[in-house]
Amino acid sequence: MKFSILLFALYQILKRAAKKNDAFRNYIRPMRARILIRTADGQRGRLFIFNKGVISSVAGNQRTFDAALVWQDAATGFSVMTDKRPDASFNAAADGKLTVEGMSVYAQWFEDGIKLVL
Amino acid sequence: MAPIYGGHLVAKYMKEVENVSLVFTLSGGHIENILDGFTEYGIRTIDVRHEQAAAMMAHAWSIYRNEPGVCLVTAGPGFTNALTGIVNAYLDNVPLVVLCGRHPLRDDLKGALQEMNQIDMIKPVTKWQATCYDTRRIPEYLALAFRQATLGRPGPVFLELPPDILFVAVEEETAPVPPRRVYKSSTHPDESELRKAADLINGARKPLFLGGSGVGLGDRDAMFETFIEKTGIPFALVNNGRGVLPDNHSLSISDGGFTSINTGLPQADVIVAAGIRFNWVLQSGQLFPNAKVIRIDIDPHEIDRNRTSEVGLVGDCGLVFSQLTPLVNKADHSSWLEKLRKAYQAFMTTEQALRTTPSDPIHPIRLVAQIMEVFGEDAYYVADGGDTSYFGLAGFMSANKAGVLIPAGNLLGCLGTGIPFAMAAKIAHPDKPVVLLNGDGSFGFNSMEFDTAVRHNIPIICVVNNDCAWGMIKHAQEMSIGEDRCTCAELGMRHYEKMVEGLGGYGELVTQDQEIIPALKRAAASGKPACINVVTDPTVTSPATILFYQDLSGF
């Protein structure tokens, strides 16, 4: 549950940043990208849709995405995504707790964007 | 001694002093006497259909043979046609020697045939350029050209030879031939800088080595190997440094293509970057803000370019490795390497699944995997195109030095390099398979060179990754201006295999996954220059396109 709330909160933060944060607004302005964050079992997830500066989001395990960050479970996803250390995602991937489906370049773009906001 | 023509003097010097065995050229009236000299002195010529290909083949020859490649082009349009290939060599720091015809000195400012100021045009894109005005000084000028091309940071040189000096004969003893100078001096860093570098390497917990073309130059591969095996540093070799140690070396991360580099660099605490520029491909060095960086480069201006380094070691990479190796501790970074491997593989799950899963329409990643299935790691691979370059870079693996080259991925982004590079690879390594993965767009630039391949019996295998479009441009336009407004991006379905058949080569069209391997085997068995035209998924794009688009959209 905490993971789903975190994803929803992230959506709200990104939506607000798209209006108020100049750096983030410029960062997302040219891009069209669909980033899915979900648990491996597909029980929890949220799709973030970036369309030329406009952000929307859909809850659930959506099938169409450019990149999907797939967390081993919700607790892991929550703890790593709220971890401020720069190597948190790297370590999670190395430990088998995170995989990326689709094109990882989009996942990297998303992570770099998050850093401008959080 | 007998009289000798200027053109013959060119050939004599190159054969007897520089040991040039092969020249890439396209004939022309102004250079006829040099061509006759090649016949006289037994220098092989490969004559192409467009001078751009001659420059590109000579460029590639420099890499595959580790010696200056020579191209000879005629005046005016021969010169301008070669220009793209020369610029590409300039940005790639390759010791290309360009010999060029010129309108007669006698006819300067008269409106002579092909009269133009070639020297001023070539000046910004060559390391050295000159016009020879005296037949007797031809060997001296050639000696200067070859030394300028190879000493220090290599680069292309341009020597203009007018017919006034080529078509006249002089007594041979009046044209002294300088000896081939072998310099015993070398540039190397100060001991204190070497110690600083060694201290950083010895204290590193997560080091990464990134080697570029400077590592591939010269014959000092063993020094690099000794350095790497003593330090135990995981490494990635790119550009013309690829294959100095085989891609399947236990410390190599080449199996991850750019994903492994982009994953590893931000995590590394010490980066040893040798013979590589921090240009746009490496995001100007901004990918690793927290790492301590040791730069090794023969050009001191590169040391802090775009990114301040903690230590700069100026010198030939091989010599620097030989000086640095005694100062570093023997180390084992296998746990860091294992962690890095697991991380980048976690970022490549889709790519890895695509390699092993039949696809319909055919996915380019699957196509590359099938090519590897047939030809393995003891082959030479070239990729040319936009997205196609990425797929080649990510999927091809070779045990050979320069076994995977992506010339269109270099600074000039020069499409059309594939066929000339593949032909040069095949001439340099006739007993090995040479496979070119060519985008359908980039195939168009030099595809007439299949005629050259047929005439000179150069049996390359060209696999066209045919998405019926300028894929990288099309997908970038879809992102920027929208799918319904793509402009000048579609090419449509074309039977490139029939074009090659028409020129005397072997051709096949492939539309189904299961047809790929049999077609490749038939192409290899044909013994002819071959084109396998593979229709691939037009919706597929590559990470390179996303990065390309991001780079151009941040204004």
Side-chain angles (χ1 to χ4, degrees), chain B residues 176-204:
Chain B
V177 176
R180 188 178 191 189
R181 178 65 61 200
V182 179
Y183 293 90
K184 290 187 177 167
S185 60
S186 61
T187 305
H188 57 82
D190 188 75
E191 179 78 12
S192 63
E193 294 296 313
L194 287 162
R195 289 207 174 277
K196 270 191 225 169
D199 288 345
L200 278 180
I201 291 169
N202 291 336

PDB file of all heavy atoms in Angstrom, chain B residues 176-204:
ATOM      1  N   PRO B 176      67.219  13.680 -54.348  1.00  0.00           N
ATOM      2  CA  PRO B 176      67.653  12.832 -53.231  1.00  0.00           C
ATOM      3  C   PRO B 176      66.481  12.272 -52.428  1.00  0.00           C
ATOM      4  O   PRO B 176      65.490  12.964 -52.205  1.00  0.00           O
ATOM      5  CB  PRO B 176      68.492  13.778 -52.373  1.00  0.00           C
ATOM      6  CG  PRO B 176      68.064  15.154 -52.772  1.00  0.00           C
ATOM      7  CD  PRO B 176      67.615  15.081 -54.183  1.00  0.00           C
ATOM      8  N   VAL B 177      66.637  11.022 -52.030  1.00  0.00           N
ATOM      9  CA  VAL B 177      65.581  10.354 -51.258  1.00  0.00           C
ATOM     10  C   VAL B 177      65.978  10.360 -49.785  1.00  0.00           C
ATOM     11  O   VAL B 177      66.958   9.719 -49.411  1.00  0.00           O
ATOM     12  CB  VAL B 177      65.378   8.905 -51.758  1.00  0.00           C
ATOM     13  CG1 VAL B 177      64.356   8.174 -50.889  1.00  0.00           C
ATOM     14  CG2 VAL B 177      64.941   8.912 -53.211  1.00  0.00           C
ATOM     15  N   PRO B 178      65.247  11.089 -48.953  1.00  0.00           N
ATOM     16  CA  PRO B 178      65.603  11.105 -47.524  1.00  0.00           C
ATOM     17  C   PRO B 178      65.396   9.723 -46.912  1.00  0.00           C
ATOM     18  O   PRO B 178      64.484   8.995 -47.322  1.00  0.00           O
ATOM     19  CB  PRO B 178      64.610  12.105 -46.907  1.00  0.00           C
ATOM     20  CG  PRO B 178      63.859  12.706 -48.035  1.00  0.00           C
ATOM     21  CD  PRO B 178      64.020  11.837 -49.233  1.00  0.00           C
ATOM     22  N   PRO B 179      66.225   9.357 -45.940  1.00  0.00           N
ATOM     23  CA  PRO B 179      65.993   8.060 -45.284  1.00  0.00           C
ATOM     24  C   PRO B 179      64.721   8.109 -44.457  1.00  0.00           C
ATOM     25  O   PRO B 179      64.285   9.194 -44.049  1.00  0.00           O
ATOM     26  CB  PRO B 179      67.220   7.911 -44.381  1.00  0.00           C
ATOM     27  CG  PRO B 179      67.657   9.314 -44.121  1.00  0.00           C
ATOM     28  CD  PRO B 179      67.308  10.110 -45.338  1.00  0.00           C
ATOM     29  N   ARG B 180      64.147   6.950 -44.238  1.00  0.00           N
ATOM     30  CA  ARG B 180      62.966   6.905 -43.371  1.00  0.00           C
ATOM     31  C   ARG B 180      63.431   7.080 -41.931  1.00  0.00           C
ATOM     32  O   ARG B 180      64.130   6.224 -41.390  1.00  0.00           O
ATOM     33  CB  ARG B 180      62.239   5.576 -43.543  1.00  0.00           C
ATOM     34  CG  ARG B 180      60.923   5.553 -42.825  1.00  0.00           C
ATOM     35  CD  ARG B 180      60.202   4.254 -43.036  1.00  0.00           C
ATOM     36  NE  ARG B 180      58.850   4.359 -42.550  1.00  0.00           N
ATOM     37  CZ  ARG B 180      58.025   3.345 -42.432  1.00  0.00           C
ATOM     38  NH1 ARG B 180      58.403   2.152 -42.800  1.00  0.00           N
ATOM     39  NH2 ARG B 180      56.812   3.523 -41.972  1.00  0.00           N
ATOM     40  N   ARG B 181      63.053   8.166 -41.354  1.00  0.00           N
ATOM     41  CA  ARG B 181      63.543   8.510 -40.028  1.00  0.00           C
ATOM     42  C   ARG B 181      62.796   7.712 -38.964  1.00  0.00           C
ATOM     43  O   ARG B 181      61.579   7.665 -38.941  1.00  0.00           O
ATOM     44  CB  ARG B 181      63.330  10.013 -39.787  1.00  0.00           C
ATOM     45  CG  ARG B 181      63.739  10.519 -38.453  1.00  0.00           C
ATOM     46  CD  ARG B 181      65.220  10.428 -38.175  1.00  0.00           C
ATOM     47  NE  ARG B 181      66.004  11.209 -39.132  1.00  0.00           N
ATOM     48  CZ  ARG B 181      67.299  11.005 -39.364  1.00  0.00           C
ATOM     49  NH1 ARG B 181      67.925  10.029 -38.741  1.00  0.00           N
ATOM     50  NH2 ARG B 181      67.948  11.751 -40.227  1.00  0.00           N
ATOM     51  N   VAL B 182      63.564   7.065 -38.112  1.00  0.00           N
ATOM     52  CA  VAL B 182      62.946   6.399 -36.954  1.00  0.00           C
ATOM     53  C   VAL B 182      63.389   7.160 -35.718  1.00  0.00           C
ATOM     54  O   VAL B 182      64.571   7.173 -35.385  1.00  0.00           O
ATOM     55  CB  VAL B 182      63.371   4.922 -36.872  1.00  0.00           C
ATOM     56  CG1 VAL B 182      62.745   4.268 -35.650  1.00  0.00           C
ATOM     57  CG2 VAL B 182      62.964   4.180 -38.136  1.00  0.00           C
ATOM     58  N   TYR B 183      62.457   7.819 -35.067  1.00  0.00           N
ATOM     59  CA  TYR B 183      62.799   8.639 -33.927  1.00  0.00           C
ATOM     60  C   TYR B 183      62.926   7.788 -32.672  1.00  0.00           C
ATOM     61  O   TYR B 183      62.116   6.903 -32.423  1.00  0.00           O
ATOM     62  CB  TYR B 183      61.725   9.715 -33.704  1.00  0.00           C
ATOM     63  CG  TYR B 183      61.684  10.715 -34.818  1.00  0.00           C
ATOM     64  CD1 TYR B 183      60.867  10.509 -35.926  1.00  0.00           C
ATOM     65  CD2 TYR B 183      62.482  11.854 -34.788  1.00  0.00           C
ATOM     66  CE1 TYR B 183      60.831  11.416 -36.963  1.00  0.00           C
ATOM     67  CE2 TYR B 183      62.451  12.756 -35.814  1.00  0.00           C
ATOM     68  CZ  TYR B 183      61.622  12.546 -36.909  1.00  0.00           C
ATOM     69  OH  TYR B 183      61.599  13.439 -37.926  1.00  0.00           O
ATOM     70  N   LYS B 184      63.952   8.090 -31.896  1.00  0.00           N
ATOM     71  CA  LYS B 184      64.120   7.336 -30.655  1.00  0.00           C
ATOM     72  C   LYS B 184      63.667   8.145 -29.446  1.00  0.00           C
ATOM     73  O   LYS B 184      63.724   7.664 -28.336  1.00  0.00           O
ATOM     74  CB  LYS B 184      65.575   6.905 -30.513  1.00  0.00           C
ATOM     75  CG  LYS B 184      65.936   5.832 -31.545  1.00  0.00           C
ATOM     76  CD  LYS B 184      67.307   5.266 -31.340  1.00  0.00           C
ATOM     77  CE  LYS B 184      67.530   4.154 -32.368  1.00  0.00           C
ATOM     78  NZ  LYS B 184      68.935   3.753 -32.454  1.00  0.00           N
ATOM     79  N   SER B 185      63.248   9.374 -29.670  1.00  0.00           N
ATOM     80  CA  SER B 185      62.731  10.175 -28.563  1.00  0.00           C
ATOM     81  C   SER B 185      61.250   9.870 -28.383  1.00  0.00           C
ATOM     82  O   SER B 185      60.589   9.366 -29.285  1.00  0.00           O
ATOM     83  CB  SER B 185      62.919  11.661 -28.854  1.00  0.00           C
ATOM     84  OG  SER B 185      62.223  11.997 -30.029  1.00  0.00           O
ATOM     85  N   SER B 186      60.754  10.147 -27.202  1.00  0.00           N
ATOM     86  CA  SER B 186      59.327   9.926 -26.971  1.00  0.00           C
ATOM     87  C   SER B 186      58.828  10.910 -25.927  1.00  0.00           C
ATOM     88  O   SER B 186      59.607  11.437 -25.127  1.00  0.00           O
ATOM     89  CB  SER B 186      59.083   8.490 -26.491  1.00  0.00           C
ATOM     90  OG  SER B 186      59.758   8.286 -25.281  1.00  0.00           O
ATOM     91  N   THR B 187      57.535  11.137 -25.943  1.00  0.00           N
ATOM     92  CA  THR B 187      56.919  12.000 -24.940  1.00  0.00           C
ATOM     93  C   THR B 187      56.382  11.120 -23.833  1.00  0.00           C
ATOM     94  O   THR B 187      55.694  10.142 -24.100  1.00  0.00           O
ATOM     95  CB  THR B 187      55.747  12.781 -25.579  1.00  0.00           C
ATOM     96  OG1 THR B 187      56.245  13.471 -26.709  1.00  0.00           O
ATOM     97  CG2 THR B 187      55.135  13.750 -24.596  1.00  0.00           C
ATOM     98  N   HIS B 188      56.742  11.448 -22.607  1.00  0.00           N
ATOM     99  CA  HIS B 188      56.179  10.671 -21.498  1.00  0.00           C
ATOM    100  C   HIS B 188      56.019  11.561 -20.283  1.00  0.00           C
ATOM    101  O   HIS B 188      56.694  12.587 -20.146  1.00  0.00           O
ATOM    102  CB  HIS B 188      57.039   9.443 -21.185  1.00  0.00           C
ATOM    103  CG  HIS B 188      58.465   9.769 -20.866  1.00  0.00           C
ATOM    104  ND1 HIS B 188      58.867  10.177 -19.633  1.00  0.00           N
ATOM    105  CD2 HIS B 188      59.564   9.764 -21.639  1.00  0.00           C
ATOM    106  CE1 HIS B 188      60.166  10.409 -19.654  1.00  0.00           C
ATOM    107  NE2 HIS B 188      60.616  10.167 -20.864  1.00  0.00           N
ATOM    108  N   PRO B 189      55.138  11.199 -19.363  1.00  0.00           N
ATOM    109  CA  PRO B 189      54.857  12.072 -18.228  1.00  0.00           C
ATOM    110  C   PRO B 189      55.974  12.077 -17.194  1.00  0.00           C
ATOM    111  O   PRO B 189      56.799  11.161 -17.141  1.00  0.00           O
ATOM    112  CB  PRO B 189      53.582  11.480 -17.635  1.00  0.00           C
ATOM    113  CG  PRO B 189      53.380  10.168 -18.264  1.00  0.00           C
ATOM    114  CD  PRO B 189      54.313   9.999 -19.396  1.00  0.00           C
ATOM    115  N   ASP B 190      55.929  13.090 -16.368  1.00  0.00           N
ATOM    116  CA  ASP B 190      56.882  13.214 -15.273  1.00  0.00           C
ATOM    117  C   ASP B 190      56.621  12.122 -14.228  1.00  0.00           C
ATOM    118  O   ASP B 190      55.488  11.699 -14.019  1.00  0.00           O
ATOM    119  CB  ASP B 190      56.694  14.609 -14.643  1.00  0.00           C
ATOM    120  CG  ASP B 190      57.767  14.909 -13.636  1.00  0.00           C
ATOM    121  OD1 ASP B 190      58.883  15.189 -14.079  1.00  0.00           O
ATOM    122  OD2 ASP B 190      57.482  14.829 -12.421  1.00  0.00           O
ATOM    123  N   GLU B 191      57.682  11.702 -13.573  1.00  0.00           N
ATOM    124  CA  GLU B 191      57.600  10.635 -12.560  1.00  0.00           C
ATOM    125  C   GLU B 191      56.567  10.964 -11.469  1.00  0.00           C
ATOM    126  O   GLU B 191      55.815  10.095 -11.018  1.00  0.00           O
ATOM    127  CB  GLU B 191      59.003  10.455 -11.940  1.00  0.00           C
ATOM    128  CG  GLU B 191      59.110   9.397 -10.855  1.00  0.00           C
ATOM    129  CD  GLU B 191      59.158   7.980 -11.409  1.00  0.00           C
ATOM    130  OE1 GLU B 191      59.344   7.829 -12.633  1.00  0.00           O
ATOM    131  OE2 GLU B 191      58.964   7.044 -10.606  1.00  0.00           O
ATOM    132  N   SER B 192      56.525  12.250 -11.049  1.00  0.00           N
ATOM    133  CA  SER B 192      55.611  12.614  -9.961  1.00  0.00           C
ATOM    134  C   SER B 192      54.152  12.442 -10.395  1.00  0.00           C
ATOM    135  O   SER B 192      53.295  12.033  -9.598  1.00  0.00           O
ATOM    136  CB  SER B 192      55.862  14.052  -9.508  1.00  0.00           C
ATOM    137  OG  SER B 192      55.596  14.938 -10.572  1.00  0.00           O
ATOM    138  N   GLU B 193      53.866  12.744 -11.642  1.00  0.00           N
ATOM    139  CA  GLU B 193      52.500  12.561 -12.145  1.00  0.00           C
ATOM    140  C   GLU B 193      52.149  11.072 -12.210  1.00  0.00           C
ATOM    141  O   GLU B 193      51.029  10.664 -11.887  1.00  0.00           O
ATOM    142  CB  GLU B 193      52.355  13.195 -13.537  1.00  0.00           C
ATOM    143  CG  GLU B 193      52.501  14.700 -13.556  1.00  0.00           C
ATOM    144  CD  GLU B 193      51.386  15.391 -12.771  1.00  0.00           C
ATOM    145  OE1 GLU B 193      50.211  15.033 -12.952  1.00  0.00           O
ATOM    146  OE2 GLU B 193      51.700  16.272 -11.947  1.00  0.00           O
ATOM    147  N   LEU B 194      53.119  10.284 -12.627  1.00  0.00           N
ATOM    148  CA  LEU B 194      52.887   8.834 -12.681  1.00  0.00           C
ATOM    149  C   LEU B 194      52.586   8.286 -11.284  1.00  0.00           C
ATOM    150  O   LEU B 194      51.696   7.439 -11.114  1.00  0.00           O
ATOM    151  CB  LEU B 194      54.118   8.126 -13.262  1.00  0.00           C
ATOM    152  CG  LEU B 194      54.326   8.295 -14.773  1.00  0.00           C
ATOM    153  CD1 LEU B 194      55.760   7.948 -15.166  1.00  0.00           C
ATOM    154  CD2 LEU B 194      53.345   7.423 -15.559  1.00  0.00           C
ATOM    155  N   ARG B 195      53.303   8.791 -10.299  1.00  0.00           N
ATOM    156  CA  ARG B 195      53.082   8.312  -8.923  1.00  0.00           C
ATOM    157  C   ARG B 195      51.696   8.716  -8.417  1.00  0.00           C
ATOM    158  O   ARG B 195      51.023   7.944  -7.742  1.00  0.00           O
ATOM    159  CB  ARG B 195      54.171   8.845  -7.985  1.00  0.00           C
ATOM    160  CG  ARG B 195      55.516   8.200  -8.246  1.00  0.00           C
ATOM    161  CD  ARG B 195      56.422   8.164  -7.033  1.00  0.00           C
ATOM    162  NE  ARG B 195      57.630   7.410  -7.347  1.00  0.00           N
ATOM    163  CZ  ARG B 195      57.712   6.088  -7.294  1.00  0.00           C
ATOM    164  NH1 ARG B 195      56.674   5.373  -6.901  1.00  0.00           N
ATOM    165  NH2 ARG B 195      58.828   5.463  -7.616  1.00  0.00           N
ATOM    166  N   LYS B 196      51.291   9.947  -8.770  1.00  0.00           N
ATOM    167  CA  LYS B 196      49.943  10.388  -8.371  1.00  0.00           C
ATOM    168  C   LYS B 196      48.888   9.467  -8.974  1.00  0.00           C
ATOM    169  O   LYS B 196      47.928   9.069  -8.305  1.00  0.00           O
ATOM    170  CB  LYS B 196      49.695  11.817  -8.879  1.00  0.00           C
ATOM    171  CG  LYS B 196      50.102  12.908  -7.928  1.00  0.00           C
ATOM    172  CD  LYS B 196      49.534  14.230  -8.450  1.00  0.00           C
ATOM    173  CE  LYS B 196      50.579  15.313  -8.373  1.00  0.00           C
ATOM    174  NZ  LYS B 196      50.215  16.535  -9.071  1.00  0.00           N
ATOM    175  N   ALA B 197      49.090   9.135 -10.243  1.00  0.00           N
ATOM    176  CA  ALA B 197      48.129   8.247 -10.917  1.00  0.00           C
ATOM    177  C   ALA B 197      48.125   6.872 -10.254  1.00  0.00           C
ATOM    178  O   ALA B 197      47.060   6.290  -9.995  1.00  0.00           O
ATOM    179  CB  ALA B 197      48.486   8.133 -12.399  1.00  0.00           C
ATOM    180  N   ALA B 198      49.318   6.372  -9.969  1.00  0.00           N
ATOM    181  CA  ALA B 198      49.415   5.044  -9.342  1.00  0.00           C
ATOM    182  C   ALA B 198      48.735   5.038  -7.978  1.00  0.00           C
ATOM    183  O   ALA B 198      48.042   4.076  -7.614  1.00  0.00           O
ATOM    184  CB  ALA B 198      50.878   4.635  -9.228  1.00  0.00           C
ATOM    185  N   ASP B 199      48.904   6.122  -7.224  1.00  0.00           N
ATOM    186  CA  ASP B 199      48.263   6.203  -5.901  1.00  0.00           C
ATOM    187  C   ASP B 199      46.744   6.144  -6.033  1.00  0.00           C
ATOM    188  O   ASP B 199      46.063   5.471  -5.250  1.00  0.00           O
ATOM    189  CB  ASP B 199      48.668   7.497  -5.177  1.00  0.00           C
ATOM    190  CG  ASP B 199      50.115   7.450  -4.699  1.00  0.00           C
ATOM    191  OD1 ASP B 199      50.683   6.340  -4.685  1.00  0.00           O
ATOM    192  OD2 ASP B 199      50.667   8.512  -4.374  1.00  0.00           O
ATOM    193  N   LEU B 200      46.220   6.874  -7.005  1.00  0.00           N
ATOM    194  CA  LEU B 200      44.765   6.845  -7.214  1.00  0.00           C
ATOM    195  C   LEU B 200      44.300   5.442  -7.592  1.00  0.00           C
ATOM    196  O   LEU B 200      43.293   4.937  -7.079  1.00  0.00           O
ATOM    197  CB  LEU B 200      44.366   7.819  -8.329  1.00  0.00           C
ATOM    198  CG  LEU B 200      44.217   9.291  -7.964  1.00  0.00           C
ATOM    199  CD1 LEU B 200      43.828  10.104  -9.194  1.00  0.00           C
ATOM    200  CD2 LEU B 200      43.159   9.461  -6.880  1.00  0.00           C
ATOM    201  N   ILE B 201      45.031   4.812  -8.495  1.00  0.00           N
ATOM    202  CA  ILE B 201      44.648   3.458  -8.942  1.00  0.00           C
ATOM    203  C   ILE B 201      44.751   2.476  -7.775  1.00  0.00           C
ATOM    204  O   ILE B 201      43.854   1.642  -7.572  1.00  0.00           O
ATOM    205  CB  ILE B 201      45.545   3.027 -10.129  1.00  0.00           C
ATOM    206  CG1 ILE B 201      45.212   3.870 -11.364  1.00  0.00           C
ATOM    207  CG2 ILE B 201      45.377   1.536 -10.439  1.00  0.00           C
ATOM    208  CD1 ILE B 201      46.198   3.735 -12.504  1.00  0.00           C
ATOM    209  N   ASN B 202      45.808   2.601  -6.992  1.00  0.00           N
ATOM    210  CA  ASN B 202      45.998   1.660  -5.872  1.00  0.00           C
ATOM    211  C   ASN B 202      44.937   1.835  -4.787  1.00  0.00           C
ATOM    212  O   ASN B 202      44.616   0.893  -4.070  1.00  0.00           O
ATOM    213  CB  ASN B 202      47.395   1.829  -5.270  1.00  0.00           C
ATOM    214  CG  ASN B 202      48.475   1.361  -6.229  1.00  0.00           C
ATOM    215  OD1 ASN B 202      48.213   0.544  -7.111  1.00  0.00           O
ATOM    216  ND2 ASN B 202      49.688   1.878  -6.072  1.00  0.00           N
ATOM    217  N   GLY B 203      44.391   3.042  -4.687  1.00  0.00           N
ATOM    218  CA  GLY B 203      43.375   3.283  -3.657  1.00  0.00           C
ATOM    219  C   GLY B 203      41.948   3.090  -4.148  1.00  0.00           C
ATOM    220  O   GLY B 203      40.994   3.219  -3.366  1.00  0.00           O
ATOM    221  N   ALA B 204      41.787   2.768  -5.416  1.00  0.00           N
ATOM    222  CA  ALA B 204      40.431   2.676  -5.982  1.00  0.00           C
ATOM    223  C   ALA B 204      39.711   1.416  -5.518  1.00  0.00           C
ATOM    224  O   ALA B 204      40.310   0.350  -5.402  1.00  0.00           O
ATOM    225  CB  ALA B 204      40.512   2.705  -7.505  1.00  0.00           C
TER     226      ALA B 204
END
